[in-house]
Amino acid sequence: MEIQTDNVTPADLLNEDRHARLLAGDEAAWHAFVTEYEQRMYGYLYRLEGNSEDALDLTQEVFYRAWRSMNTFRAGERVLPWLYQVARNTQIESHRRKQHQRFSLEEAREEIGFEVTSPGRSPVQAAESEQAQDRVQRALMKLPEEYREAVVLRFVEDLPYDEIARIQGVAPGTAKSRVFRAKEQLAELLADVADVH
């Protein structure tokens, strides 16, 4: 008896037609491309940077670099691992270029003490939720950069270890080790937060 297996095609494969349109600079194709992936890139970079202003700037830079280097991408390949690599390189180069600390919207909000809350939640619920998110983000920022990146790629971006390894340029075992150590360190940093498992 022969067992049939379904060939599941990842959603982020870039076919030849779409790739050719992107290479040709087709505006509609690029708009669709950016729309499809910008939230993933922003979320990834926000968790690495710790503030929305830098994450937004870097996200724009990522898509500019993707546009400039689309000829290095091969049709039929997955887009997300390639984009994560572009984002990682962009973030690393940004840190090398930085000569002084940039103004942060998050710090300004803390100093001013004013925050717009969602109409669906009470101010107390909004404050508690934001406080928990801020604690997790602060804890992430205390991790060594390679651990922070590995744990974000694994649990936020939901990438398998082999892709994390490829993005970070390490062996899969090293990627697993980094995720494990990051989880241990986060558990220690967030030990008094009730909802951390």
Side-chain angles (χ1 to χ4, degrees):
M1 180 176 179
E2 194 173 310
I3 298 174
Q4 297 259 336
T5 58
D6 292 333
N7 259 346
V8 179
T9 304
D12 67 329
L13 284 183
L14 194 62
N15 66 33
E16 288 192 29
D17 176 57
R18 193 170 176 203
H19 184 250
R21 290 175 59 207
L22 291 170
L23 275 174
D26 182 303
E27 192 172 321
W30 273 104
H31 177 74
F33 182 81
V34 171
T35 300
E36 186 173 352
Y37 296 108
E38 68 184 335
Q39 285 303 313
R40 298 277 305 254
M41 292 302 102
Y42 170 79
Y44 168 68
L45 290 163
Y46 175 77
R47 285 171 182 85
L48 294 181
E49 288 296 307
N51 73 68
S52 59
E53 183 182 351
D54 286 346
L56 281 171
D57 288 346
L58 287 171
T59 300
Q60 290 177 353
E61 178 75 13
V62 165
F63 285 102
Y64 172 73
R65 287 176 178 222
W67 173 73
R68 300 243 342 191
S69 61
M70 182 53 71
N71 60 339
T72 68
F73 184 83
R74 292 188 312 234
E77 295 286 324
R78 291 190 59 208
V79 172
L80 279 171
W82 179 71
L83 271 180
Y84 283 124
Q85 190 65 55
V86 172
R88 180 177 198 259
N89 292 340
T90 301
Q91 193 244 4
I92 289 169
E93 287 177 30
S94 168
H95 281 267
R96 287 183 185 146
R97 289 195 305 261
K98 260 186 199 174
Q99 295 184 7
H100 62 281
Q101 188 67 22
R102 295 179 54 190
F103 178 74
S104 165
L105 289 177
E106 310 310 337
E107 292 172 285
R109 286 183 186 143
E110 287 176 16
E111 288 174 21
I112 296 168
F114 177 78
E115 182 69 40
V116 178
T117 60
S118 165
R121 299 183 294 174
S122 74
V124 172
Q125 289 172 319
E128 287 174 349
S129 174
E130 187 162 323
Q131 189 176 37
Q133 289 176 5
D134 286 347
R135 279 212 52 178
V136 171
Q137 185 62 41
R138 282 195 304 273
L140 273 172
M141 296 308 292
K142 290 179 182 176
L143 297 178
E145 189 169 343
E146 64 274 9
Y147 289 6
R148 180 170 66 241
E149 180 183 39
V151 81
V152 167
L153 287 170
R154 181 70 183 124
F155 295 109
V156 179
E157 302 304 328
D158 201 30
L159 292 184
Y161 289 110
D162 60 332
E163 287 185 11
I164 295 168
R166 195 169 88 191
I167 290 166
Q168 291 194 316
V170 296
T174 302
K176 286 180 185 178
S177 174
R178 286 178 175 180
V179 171
F180 178 77
R181 289 185 181 140
K183 281 173 48 180
E184 281 186 328
Q185 290 181 18
L186 281 173
E188 287 175 20
L189 292 166
L190 299 169
D192 59 334
V193 177
D195 61 343
V196 173
H197 303 290

